[in-house]
């Protein structure tokens, strides 16, 4: 899957779309990354920028909101799943 015209593989688009990631669902809404885990399961989660700056390192369960300050591409690793997201 390609993200806009950026030709970035496996990049997820924003604007309230949702993307199933195994046992969780990932949303982007404005400058927030939202993660919803199946059955409220706890998932270790890391969110970083493409240059390696850590944005979040913790555990999410149920519905969690991770605010980001700038638009750009973020790498989200939740449990065993890693995806790129585009925040506009």
């Amino acid at each position: 899957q390609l993200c806009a015209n950026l030709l970035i593989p496996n990049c997820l688009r924003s604007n309230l779309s949702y993307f199933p990631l195994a046992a969780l669902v990932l949303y982007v809404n404005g400058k927030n990354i939202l993660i919803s885990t199946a059955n409220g399961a706890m998932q270790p989660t890391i969110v970083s920028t493409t240059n390696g700056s850590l944005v979040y390192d913790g555990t999410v369960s149920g519905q969690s909101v991770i605010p980001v300050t700038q638009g750009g591409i973020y790498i989200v690793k939740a449990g065993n799943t890693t995806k790129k997201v585009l925040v506009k």
Side-chain angles (χ1 to χ4, degrees), residues 11-23:
C11 185
L12 304 177
R13 296 209 36 154
S14 60
N15 298 334
L16 293 176
S17 298
Y18 72 94
F19 305 91
L21 304 175

Side-chain angles (χ1 to χ4, degrees), residues 34-75:
L34 296 89
I35 300 174
S36 178
T37 62
N39 301 320
M42 295 181 70
Q43 291 287 335
T45 302
I46 296 172
V47 177
S48 62
T49 64
T50 55
N51 68 6
S53 296
L54 191 61
V55 174
Y56 178 84
D57 185 1
T59 302
V60 300
S61 65
Q63 302 237 345
S64 300
V65 177
I66 301 169
V68 296
T69 57
Q70 299 180 20
I73 298 169
Y74 291 85
I75 300 167

